[in-house]
Amino acid sequence: MEGRANQGLSVKDDGYHKTAPERLKRVRDEIVTAAEAAKRSPADVELIAVSKTFDIDAVRPVLAAGQRVFGENRVQEAERKWPVLKSGFADIELHLIGPLQSNKAKDAVALFDVLHTIDREKIARAIANEISRQQRALRLFVQVNTGEEPQKAGVMPREAKAFVEFCQGELKLPIVGLMCIPPVDEEPAVHFAFLAKLAKEAGLQGLSMGMSSDFETAIAFGATHVRVGSAIFGER
Ligand SMILES: *Cc1c(COP(=O)(O)O)cnc(C)c1O
């Protein structure tokens, strides 16, 4: 789990922050610094510790260090890990940050507190049905494909506002913000600024953007939720 990250940009291995709790503390410090530099309150930036691919034993020390907000990208993997981990802590908040299939809507609504990847009518309807059936109070983000990449999930930027209005109006879904994953080969700042503009146009406060390599930039552009995996847990 130690060593250089893929693409050499995720894990800052300085030989000093060796354990996950040490790296967690460093990320938290960096969030505070980035928020203050942007004249924002650090309390307005939620750190989602992305534990995907890491097993229960790797997550426990991070829980013990006080982190309570975690992200997973697959429903099935989360179902294997989190019922066990949740049993020891009442205040864990789980975020689904990966693609959502409608046949997983029931399980996702049962396990997660926040879903970041609402991006089409079919999945929005399936989630709406499950939220009302299970009487669960979730928060939802709409994923936007800011780079308009053919292989990537997310609504097209020009459709974001209408899709948010559809989710809120017709389905009464609690949409709290927008989420994006910038193209790997482009300057993330451009996409963060764009997502912030789209959220403003849609009347939304929440901005889920920024990962290990670029969360400080995302905070400068208004991120309210940063999704940080390898900078905490190590290389995947
Ligand atoms: C894996 C993942 C992250 C975390 O990525 P790191 O580079 O490890 O911080 C953030 N967001 C999404 C959608 C992911 O799938």
Side-chain angles (χ1 to χ4, degrees):
M1 271 184 257
E2 293 290 335
R4 275 180 300 281
N6 304 333
Q7 302 161 347
L9 39 69
S10 290
V11 181
K12 300 173 206 163
D13 184 2
D14 57 6
Y16 177 69
H17 297 91
K18 288 205 176 300
T19 69
E22 284 165 351
R23 290 188 296 253
L24 172 69
K25 181 173 185 314
R26 178 175 57 183
V27 168
R28 283 187 182 155
D29 290 346
E30 289 168 344
I31 288 173
V32 170
T33 305
E36 286 173 351
K39 302 197 162 45
R40 301 182 55 204
S41 166
D44 293 340
V45 182
E46 184 85 79
L47 170 61
I48 303 169
V50 177
S51 50
K52 67 182 186 199
T53 77
F54 288 94
D55 63 16
I56 286 175
D57 290 334
V59 177
R60 282 192 205 283
V62 176
L63 266 167
Q67 179 68 24
R68 292 292 180 272
V69 181
F70 290 87
E72 290 282 347
N73 71 334
R74 313 181 99 182
V75 177
Q76 263 172 318
E77 181 186 340
E79 282 179 321
R80 281 196 300 271
K81 287 152 66 174
W82 285 98
V84 182
L85 290 164
K86 268 185 161 182
S87 63
F89 301 87
D91 53 350
I92 287 173
E93 187 176 282
L94 268 192
H95 292 240
L96 180 66
I97 61 169
L100 189 49
Q101 308 299 328
S102 32
N103 64 358
K104 287 277 183 304
K106 179 179 170 209
D107 296 344
V109 168
L111 182 64
F112 289 92
D113 303 291
V114 186
L115 309 178
H116 289 241
T117 52
I118 306 296
D119 69 348
R120 57 195 188 278
E121 183 176 332
K122 189 176 178 203
I123 199 69
R125 285 191 189 280
I127 295 298
N129 286 340
E130 285 303 328
I131 284 179
S132 90
R133 212 177 57 82
Q134 300 183 34
Q135 291 292 300
R136 292 256 304 141
L138 269 69
R139 282 167 287 143
L140 310 175
F141 287 81
V142 165
Q143 182 173 355
V144 183
N145 186 352
T146 56
E148 305 200 15
E149 296 171 279
Q151 82 288 2
K152 198 167 267 178
V155 298
M156 286 296 142
R158 63 183 167 278
E159 293 160 2
K161 185 168 189 274
F163 183 68
V164 167
E165 285 169 356
F166 163 76
C167 290
Q168 292 175 323
E170 184 139 342
L171 303 180
K172 307 279 177 259
L173 282 173
I175 307 292
V176 298
L178 300 182
M179 176 271 213
C180 77
I181 308 170
V184 285
D185 54 353
E186 288 182 27
E187 182 55 59
V190 174
H191 293 270
F192 298 154
F194 188 32
L195 194 73
K197 176 175 170 278
L198 293 172
K200 197 171 177 201
E201 287 168 3
L204 296 171
Q205 308 290 319
L207 283 171
S208 168
M209 56 191 199
M211 315 190 353
S212 290
S213 58
D214 54 22
F215 67 88
E216 289 146 302
T217 306
I219 290 168
F221 285 91
T224 60
H225 293 70
V226 293
R227 312 178 306 262
V228 180
S230 48
I232 297 170
F233 290 98
E235 192 181 346
R236 285 186 296 272

